[in-house]
């Protein structure tokens, strides 16, 4: 079994639990760290630190991975806030401990009684360190109270939605806490209208939030997926790893199609349900293809994907 780094074991329990949850979400997406970095905007080294529990990840990174994995956004927010509170408390205690060791007054032996006295000008024994310990303990209690309040608010879905504005670290344009988790209940199709979302980047326009994999083919060292978003009313094609591929295409039965650039990981969207679409890609001299109920792997005779 791989040994965890000392920094992981020294992290607060809430941070370690968040790191474990992020690793589960990454396994669910079946993305490499490099692909996750490309989709989220955070570097590979940052994700390694987040997965290892060595640092507290920003909410934007946690939210990006949660969207890719189709996670419960509200539950994930509660976990992140608990980890953030624990991280702040731990850092405060460490700083107080370091300050005690640096600022502790020198002790000297009392020649007459053998007793040790403080060299502090005030003559008070441990006054400053005691005060710091009281402040640190009060901070821990306050953090626990805040965490319990957040849990209660999440459980009962306070009626004051929208009155206090979005929480710190929320994505731009997010509503007030708690967020509505059912996008379709709000009567919205991510702003695309009744015609669906034609020719849009599915990740930039939020179509990935409720996306499902209709069919997946693993062959020739690649994984080709046909993806569908109910809220956007659109389908697109994805391939991992994308390096060395070409002719990644999403097409409908009536001839509408979008072809991505060579080496791209996904196509633009087509406003068509999974029953009338198919995804294809060329890799290592073969064409991989999937539809809702079928998949194929055929050799190609040239670099343009022609048999």
């Amino acid at each position: 079994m791989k040994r965890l780094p000392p920094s992981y074991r020294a992290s607060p329990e809430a941070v370690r639990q968040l790191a474990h949850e992020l690793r589960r979400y990454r396994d669910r997406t079946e993305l490499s760290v490099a692909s996750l970095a490309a989709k989220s905007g955070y570097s590979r080294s940052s994700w390694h630190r987040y997965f290892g529990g060595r640092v507290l990840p920003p909410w934007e990174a946690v939210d990006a991975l949660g969207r890719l994995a189709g996670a419960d956004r509200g539950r994930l927010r509660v976990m992140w806030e608990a980890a953030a509170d624990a991280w702040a408390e731990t850092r405060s205690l460490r700083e107080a401990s370091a300050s005690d060791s640096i600022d502790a007054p020198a002790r000297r032996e009392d020649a007459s009684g053998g007793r040790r006295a403080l060299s502090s000008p005030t003559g008070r024994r441990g006054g400053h360190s005691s005060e710091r310990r009281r402040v640190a303990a009060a901070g821990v209690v306050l953090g626990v109270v805040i965490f319990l309040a957040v849990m209660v608010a999440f459980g009962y879905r306070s009626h004051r939605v929208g009155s206090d504005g979005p929480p710190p670290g929320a994505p731009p344009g997010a509503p007030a806490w708690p967020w509505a988790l059912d996008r379709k209940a709000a009567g919205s199709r991510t702003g695309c209208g009744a015609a669906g979302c034609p020719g849009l980047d599915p990740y930039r326009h939020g179509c990935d939030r409720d996306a499902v994999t209709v069919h997946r083919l693993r062959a020739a060292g690649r994984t080709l997926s046909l993806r569908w978003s109910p809220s956007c009313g659109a389908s697109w094609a994805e391939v991992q790893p994308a390096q060395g591929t070409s002719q990644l295409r999403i097409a409908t039965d009536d001839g509408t199609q979008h072809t991505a650039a060579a080496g791209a990981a996904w196509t633009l969207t087509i406003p068509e349900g999974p029953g009338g679409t198919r995804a294809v890609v060329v890799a290592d001299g073969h064409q991989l293809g999937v539809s809702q109920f079928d998949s194929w792997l055929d050799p190609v005779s040239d670099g343009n994907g022609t048999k």
Side-chain angles (χ1 to χ4, degrees):
M1 179 182 295
K2 182 178 179 181
R3 297 186 61 184
L4 294 172
S7 57
Y8 178 86
R9 295 191 294 270
S11 298
E13 177 65 22
V15 176
R16 296 199 299 271
Q17 290 179 353
L18 177 63
H20 175 72
E21 194 76 2
L22 295 181
R23 292 195 298 271
R24 287 202 318 113
Y25 289 154
R26 183 212 157 185
D27 292 341
R28 183 188 302 177
T29 63
E30 298 183 343
L31 293 174
S32 65
V33 177
S35 299
L36 177 58
K39 291 188 176 185
S40 65
Y42 291 85
S43 67
R44 287 182 296 177
S45 58
S46 295
W47 279 113
H48 281 301
R49 290 194 294 270
Y50 302 157
F51 291 141
R54 287 176 281 175
V55 297
L56 175 71
W59 164 245
E60 291 80 2
V62 173
D63 187 40
L65 178 54
R67 291 182 179 183
L68 290 172
D72 184 322
R73 201 179 189 193
R75 175 177 177 273
L76 191 57
R77 177 71 189 190
V78 170
M79 290 190 66
W80 179 82
E81 289 191 352
D85 289 340
W87 184 268
E89 293 163 12
T90 300
R91 185 169 60 179
S92 176
L93 290 174
R94 288 175 179 171
E95 290 175 353
S97 176
S99 178
D100 283 346
S101 62
I102 294 174
D103 299 334
R107 298 177 180 273
R108 58 185 177 84
E109 190 73 23
D110 190 326
S112 60
R115 293 173 302 180
R116 308 185 73 85
L118 292 176
S119 60
S120 169
T122 62
R124 293 186 299 169
R125 184 179 298 274
H128 293 294
S129 60
S130 298
E131 183 66 23
R132 280 191 290 268
R133 283 193 292 272
R134 285 194 293 271
V135 171
V140 172
V141 173
L142 179 61
V144 172
V145 172
I146 292 174
F147 173 70
L148 293 176
V150 170
M151 292 294 291
V152 171
F154 175 67
Y156 288 96
R157 291 289 194 271
S158 170
H159 67 279
R160 297 179 61 197
V161 174
S163 61
D164 297 326
W177 175 263
W179 289 310
L181 302 180
D182 187 358
R183 296 173 58 81
K184 294 185 285 299
S188 171
R189 293 181 75 121
T190 64
C192 298
C197 298
L200 300 179
D201 186 313
Y203 290 96
R204 181 171 298 177
H205 290 82
C207 298
D208 60 301
R209 295 176 183 175
D210 67 339
V212 295
T213 299
V214 178
H215 200 162
R216 175 180 292 142
L217 172 64
R218 293 185 177 92
R222 303 295 196 279
T223 300
L224 175 66
S225 302
L226 175 60
R227 303 274 283 165
W228 157 253
S229 166
S231 63
C232 289
S235 302
W236 67 94
E238 287 191 20
V239 63
Q240 292 292 340
Q243 185 176 5
T245 64
S246 63
Q247 296 293 306
L248 176 63
R249 183 167 62 251
I250 182 73
T252 65
D253 294 339
D254 63 6
T256 303
Q257 62 180 344
H258 283 302
T259 303
W266 61 85
T267 66
L268 300 180
T269 58
I270 281 185
E272 181 67 44
T277 54
R278 61 187 180 276
V280 297
V281 70
V282 174
D284 298 330
H286 291 80
Q287 184 189 72
L288 289 69
V290 292
S291 62
Q292 184 174 12
F293 301 113
D294 194 16
S295 62
W296 59 92
L297 176 66
D298 297 322
V300 295
S301 58
D302 57 41
N304 295 321
T306 305
K307 297 181 184 177

